[in-house]
């Protein structure tokens, strides 16, 4: 079976996970609305790969809230670190009855090996879920401008590491909302939640931060 994270548990405020080094306690924080003029969603590192393809599943054009699920890393009963464990783009704020892997192009989950997944590559330590309209604008920026807006050497002083929100297309309001991608660079999959009758609840990128449940 392809890899599927336990998203129902991960997306639960107060959920606790643990390994031999620390305990991880989940918090949820709103990170602003994402404007989708086309209804298409791209998961990508917007600095390194703004040209990535959109997922094959589309939604109605509109404005949708985004949430960062932050793992508070605790050791010896004190907060030692904060890492974004997941980025969620909420389409309908309802519980998901099932989850499916988000795909691009001709990807087919039947081609995956056991515990494999399709995901997007991160090379600058940040991730986003955005409309291609905004990302197309970002492709026209020079490297220094992109770095100035989206890349920071240290996390912001707020509760969500790497949180940046910037409107990139003034005509449509299309924007890019970023967070730090868990422990850093890697390949991260996105899953689509659906209700029992098939409506989309959310897109969730798993940054593979937490271990098994405590």
């Amino acid at each position: 079976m392809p890899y599927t994270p336990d998203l129902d548990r991960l997306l639960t405020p107060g959920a606790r996970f643990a390994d031999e080094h620390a305990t991880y306690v989940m918090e949820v924080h709103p990170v602003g609305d994402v404007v989708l003029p086309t209804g298409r969603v791209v998961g990508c590192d917007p600095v390194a790969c703004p040209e990535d393809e959109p997922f094959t599943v589309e939604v109605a054009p509109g404005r949708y809230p985004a949430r960062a699920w932050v793992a508070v890393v605790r050791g010896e009963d004190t907060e030692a670190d904060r890492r974004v464990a997941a980025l969620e783009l909420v389409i309908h704020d309802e519980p998901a009855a099932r989850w499916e892997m988000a795909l691009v192009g001709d990807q087919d989950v039947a081609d995956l090996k056991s515990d494999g997944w399709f995901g997007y590559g991160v090379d600058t330590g940040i991730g986003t879920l955005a409309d291609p309209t905004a990302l197309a604008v970002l492709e026209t920026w020079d490297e220094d401008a992109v770095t100035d807006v989206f890349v920071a050497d240290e996390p912001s002083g707020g509760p969500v590491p790497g949180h940046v929100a910037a409107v990139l297309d003034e005509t449509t309001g299309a924007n890019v909302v970023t967070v730090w991608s868990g422990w850093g660079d890697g390949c991260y999959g996105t899953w689509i939640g659906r209700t029992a009758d098939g409506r989309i609840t959310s897109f969730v990128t798993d940054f593979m931060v937490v271990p098994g449940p405590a």
Side-chain angles (χ1 to χ4, degrees), residues 136-149:
V137 174
L138 196 56
E139 286 188 74
T140 68
W141 288 18
D142 64 48
E143 183 177 351
D144 288 342
V146 174
T147 300
D148 287 345
V149 173

PDB file of all heavy atoms in Angstrom, residues 136-149:
ATOM      1  N   ALA A 136       2.948  32.090 -11.330  1.00  0.00           N
ATOM      2  CA  ALA A 136       3.439  32.576 -12.617  1.00  0.00           C
ATOM      3  C   ALA A 136       4.067  33.952 -12.468  1.00  0.00           C
ATOM      4  O   ALA A 136       5.067  34.274 -13.128  1.00  0.00           O
ATOM      5  CB  ALA A 136       2.295  32.620 -13.630  1.00  0.00           C
ATOM      6  N   VAL A 137       3.511  34.783 -11.600  1.00  0.00           N
ATOM      7  CA  VAL A 137       4.111  36.083 -11.327  1.00  0.00           C
ATOM      8  C   VAL A 137       5.456  35.906 -10.645  1.00  0.00           C
ATOM      9  O   VAL A 137       6.444  36.580 -10.969  1.00  0.00           O
ATOM     10  CB  VAL A 137       3.168  36.943 -10.465  1.00  0.00           C
ATOM     11  CG1 VAL A 137       3.844  38.248 -10.062  1.00  0.00           C
ATOM     12  CG2 VAL A 137       1.868  37.218 -11.195  1.00  0.00           C
ATOM     13  N   LEU A 138       5.508  34.986  -9.706  1.00  0.00           N
ATOM     14  CA  LEU A 138       6.747  34.756  -8.972  1.00  0.00           C
ATOM     15  C   LEU A 138       7.881  34.323  -9.898  1.00  0.00           C
ATOM     16  O   LEU A 138       9.053  34.661  -9.670  1.00  0.00           O
ATOM     17  CB  LEU A 138       6.515  33.695  -7.898  1.00  0.00           C
ATOM     18  CG  LEU A 138       7.555  33.583  -6.782  1.00  0.00           C
ATOM     19  CD1 LEU A 138       7.726  34.909  -6.069  1.00  0.00           C
ATOM     20  CD2 LEU A 138       7.159  32.494  -5.801  1.00  0.00           C
ATOM     21  N   GLU A 139       7.545  33.621 -10.962  1.00  0.00           N
ATOM     22  CA  GLU A 139       8.568  33.183 -11.921  1.00  0.00           C
ATOM     23  C   GLU A 139       9.247  34.360 -12.608  1.00  0.00           C
ATOM     24  O   GLU A 139      10.371  34.234 -13.113  1.00  0.00           O
ATOM     25  CB  GLU A 139       7.939  32.272 -12.977  1.00  0.00           C
ATOM     26  CG  GLU A 139       7.607  30.880 -12.503  1.00  0.00           C
ATOM     27  CD  GLU A 139       7.179  29.986 -13.651  1.00  0.00           C
ATOM     28  OE1 GLU A 139       8.054  29.572 -14.448  1.00  0.00           O
ATOM     29  OE2 GLU A 139       5.968  29.715 -13.777  1.00  0.00           O
ATOM     30  N   THR A 140       8.594  35.514 -12.635  1.00  0.00           N
ATOM     31  CA  THR A 140       9.167  36.682 -13.312  1.00  0.00           C
ATOM     32  C   THR A 140      10.059  37.503 -12.389  1.00  0.00           C
ATOM     33  O   THR A 140      10.737  38.416 -12.852  1.00  0.00           O
ATOM     34  CB  THR A 140       8.050  37.592 -13.862  1.00  0.00           C
ATOM     35  OG1 THR A 140       7.335  38.200 -12.771  1.00  0.00           O
ATOM     36  CG2 THR A 140       7.076  36.822 -14.724  1.00  0.00           C
ATOM     37  N   TRP A 141      10.055  37.207 -11.106  1.00  0.00           N
ATOM     38  CA  TRP A 141      10.877  37.955 -10.156  1.00  0.00           C
ATOM     39  C   TRP A 141      12.331  37.516 -10.248  1.00  0.00           C
ATOM     40  O   TRP A 141      12.626  36.361 -10.570  1.00  0.00           O
ATOM     41  CB  TRP A 141      10.405  37.713  -8.738  1.00  0.00           C
ATOM     42  CG  TRP A 141       9.103  38.343  -8.367  1.00  0.00           C
ATOM     43  CD1 TRP A 141       8.133  38.813  -9.203  1.00  0.00           C
ATOM     44  CD2 TRP A 141       8.600  38.539  -7.041  1.00  0.00           C
ATOM     45  NE1 TRP A 141       7.066  39.295  -8.495  1.00  0.00           N
ATOM     46  CE2 TRP A 141       7.323  39.135  -7.160  1.00  0.00           C
ATOM     47  CE3 TRP A 141       9.099  38.267  -5.777  1.00  0.00           C
ATOM     48  CZ2 TRP A 141       6.541  39.467  -6.054  1.00  0.00           C
ATOM     49  CZ3 TRP A 141       8.330  38.585  -4.663  1.00  0.00           C
ATOM     50  CH2 TRP A 141       7.059  39.185  -4.797  1.00  0.00           C
ATOM     51  N   ASP A 142      13.241  38.429  -9.915  1.00  0.00           N
ATOM     52  CA  ASP A 142      14.635  38.002  -9.838  1.00  0.00           C
ATOM     53  C   ASP A 142      14.894  37.343  -8.498  1.00  0.00           C
ATOM     54  O   ASP A 142      14.121  37.462  -7.541  1.00  0.00           O
ATOM     55  CB  ASP A 142      15.604  39.165 -10.088  1.00  0.00           C
ATOM     56  CG  ASP A 142      15.528  40.267  -9.027  1.00  0.00           C
ATOM     57  OD1 ASP A 142      15.553  39.948  -7.821  1.00  0.00           O
ATOM     58  OD2 ASP A 142      15.460  41.449  -9.411  1.00  0.00           O
ATOM     59  N   GLU A 143      15.998  36.622  -8.426  1.00  0.00           N
ATOM     60  CA  GLU A 143      16.290  35.800  -7.251  1.00  0.00           C
ATOM     61  C   GLU A 143      16.367  36.611  -5.971  1.00  0.00           C
ATOM     62  O   GLU A 143      15.885  36.187  -4.919  1.00  0.00           O
ATOM     63  CB  GLU A 143      17.598  35.035  -7.476  1.00  0.00           C
ATOM     64  CG  GLU A 143      17.960  34.089  -6.347  1.00  0.00           C
ATOM     65  CD  GLU A 143      19.230  33.305  -6.641  1.00  0.00           C
ATOM     66  OE1 GLU A 143      19.736  33.378  -7.784  1.00  0.00           O
ATOM     67  OE2 GLU A 143      19.716  32.621  -5.710  1.00  0.00           O
ATOM     68  N   ASP A 144      16.961  37.785  -6.035  1.00  0.00           N
ATOM     69  CA  ASP A 144      17.101  38.604  -4.834  1.00  0.00           C
ATOM     70  C   ASP A 144      15.744  39.028  -4.284  1.00  0.00           C
ATOM     71  O   ASP A 144      15.525  39.033  -3.065  1.00  0.00           O
ATOM     72  CB  ASP A 144      17.949  39.841  -5.130  1.00  0.00           C
ATOM     73  CG  ASP A 144      19.418  39.506  -5.329  1.00  0.00           C
ATOM     74  OD1 ASP A 144      19.832  38.408  -4.918  1.00  0.00           O
ATOM     75  OD2 ASP A 144      20.142  40.347  -5.897  1.00  0.00           O
ATOM     76  N   ALA A 145      14.817  39.373  -5.190  1.00  0.00           N
ATOM     77  CA  ALA A 145      13.489  39.800  -4.746  1.00  0.00           C
ATOM     78  C   ALA A 145      12.744  38.662  -4.076  1.00  0.00           C
ATOM     79  O   ALA A 145      12.100  38.849  -3.030  1.00  0.00           O
ATOM     80  CB  ALA A 145      12.688  40.329  -5.936  1.00  0.00           C
ATOM     81  N   VAL A 146      12.840  37.464  -4.656  1.00  0.00           N
ATOM     82  CA  VAL A 146      12.184  36.297  -4.062  1.00  0.00           C
ATOM     83  C   VAL A 146      12.760  36.007  -2.682  1.00  0.00           C
ATOM     84  O   VAL A 146      12.029  35.768  -1.714  1.00  0.00           O
ATOM     85  CB  VAL A 146      12.336  35.068  -4.977  1.00  0.00           C
ATOM     86  CG1 VAL A 146      11.777  33.819  -4.294  1.00  0.00           C
ATOM     87  CG2 VAL A 146      11.640  35.303  -6.310  1.00  0.00           C
ATOM     88  N   THR A 147      14.069  36.044  -2.589  1.00  0.00           N
ATOM     89  CA  THR A 147      14.734  35.760  -1.317  1.00  0.00           C
ATOM     90  C   THR A 147      14.350  36.775  -0.259  1.00  0.00           C
ATOM     91  O   THR A 147      14.096  36.419   0.902  1.00  0.00           O
ATOM     92  CB  THR A 147      16.262  35.744  -1.510  1.00  0.00           C
ATOM     93  OG1 THR A 147      16.603  34.728  -2.450  1.00  0.00           O
ATOM     94  CG2 THR A 147      16.969  35.465  -0.192  1.00  0.00           C
ATOM     95  N   ASP A 148      14.293  38.049  -0.640  1.00  0.00           N
ATOM     96  CA  ASP A 148      13.959  39.096   0.317  1.00  0.00           C
ATOM     97  C   ASP A 148      12.575  38.886   0.931  1.00  0.00           C
ATOM     98  O   ASP A 148      12.359  39.160   2.117  1.00  0.00           O
ATOM     99  CB  ASP A 148      14.015  40.473  -0.351  1.00  0.00           C
ATOM    100  CG  ASP A 148      15.435  40.928  -0.628  1.00  0.00           C
ATOM    101  OD1 ASP A 148      16.372  40.327  -0.060  1.00  0.00           O
ATOM    102  OD2 ASP A 148      15.603  41.879  -1.417  1.00  0.00           O
ATOM    103  N   VAL A 149      11.624  38.406   0.126  1.00  0.00           N
ATOM    104  CA  VAL A 149      10.250  38.254   0.605  1.00  0.00           C
ATOM    105  C   VAL A 149      10.044  36.940   1.354  1.00  0.00           C
ATOM    106  O   VAL A 149       9.436  36.900   2.428  1.00  0.00           O
ATOM    107  CB  VAL A 149       9.255  38.353  -0.570  1.00  0.00           C
ATOM    108  CG1 VAL A 149       7.835  38.031  -0.091  1.00  0.00           C
ATOM    109  CG2 VAL A 149       9.297  39.742  -1.183  1.00  0.00           C
TER     110      VAL A 149
END
